[in-house]
Amino acid sequence: MWGMSETPPESPDFDAMARDIAEVPAVEVIVTVAVNLMSAAAVKLGLTEEGDKHKDLDEARKLVHALAGLLDATATEISSFHAAPLRDGLKSLQLAFREASLVPDEPGKGPGEKYTGPVYG
């Protein structure tokens, strides 16, 4: 809590934020969310320079599954130009998850495979 002589932290300008978001095409929002999910999953899989420091396969599973669901749900909404590299990234993350798991999931049971089908190397 701030002291009596301090001013309270400024609240976000939600009207300005809404105006900014209103100007962004839906495809751009979807791709941005997908890239953020991919980045977070890569960190949780230990694929960054810091490696195992942030590795957490339970968290990675959730992120990869969410990414697969997003891509499945928006497949007809975004062009192949956007979808193809995102699907390639998803497959890479799924394979990395399988490789990182001490006890790999059965084909079709890995993260996101509910949406993509079994992923093989």
Side-chain angles (χ1 to χ4, degrees), residues 13-27:
D13 183 354
F14 291 113
D15 290 336
M17 290 169 60
R19 279 191 302 276
D20 291 344
I21 289 172
E23 296 174 10
V24 178
V27 170

Side-chain angles (χ1 to χ4, degrees), residues 1-109:
M1 186 125 223
W2 58 89
M4 295 193 118
S5 62
E6 296 177 41
T7 57
E10 289 196 32
S11 60
D13 183 354
F14 291 113
D15 290 336
M17 290 169 60
R19 279 191 302 276
D20 291 344
I21 289 172
E23 296 174 10
V24 178
V27 170
E28 191 173 324
V29 173
I30 293 166
V31 170
T32 299
V33 170
V35 169
N36 285 329
L37 287 168
M38 291 175 90
S39 298
V43 169
K44 296 297 184 178
L45 283 167
L47 301 177
T48 60
E49 287 181 16
E50 295 180 350
D52 290 344
K53 183 177 179 183
H54 302 289
K55 190 172 184 178
D56 183 334
L57 293 183
D58 184 51
E59 291 289 301
R61 176 184 294 277
K62 293 171 189 171
L63 292 163
V64 172
H65 190 75
L67 174 62
L70 174 65
L71 295 182
D72 183 60
T74 59
T76 60
E77 306 300 326
I78 61 176
S79 67
S80 294
F81 174 78
H82 294 293
L86 294 173
R87 282 193 302 266
D88 290 345
L90 170 60
K91 182 177 180 181
S92 294
L93 290 169
Q94 289 171 310
L95 291 171
F97 184 92
R98 186 171 298 284
E99 187 177 303
S101 298
L102 295 176
V103 180
D105 297 313
E106 293 180 34
K109 301 293 184 187

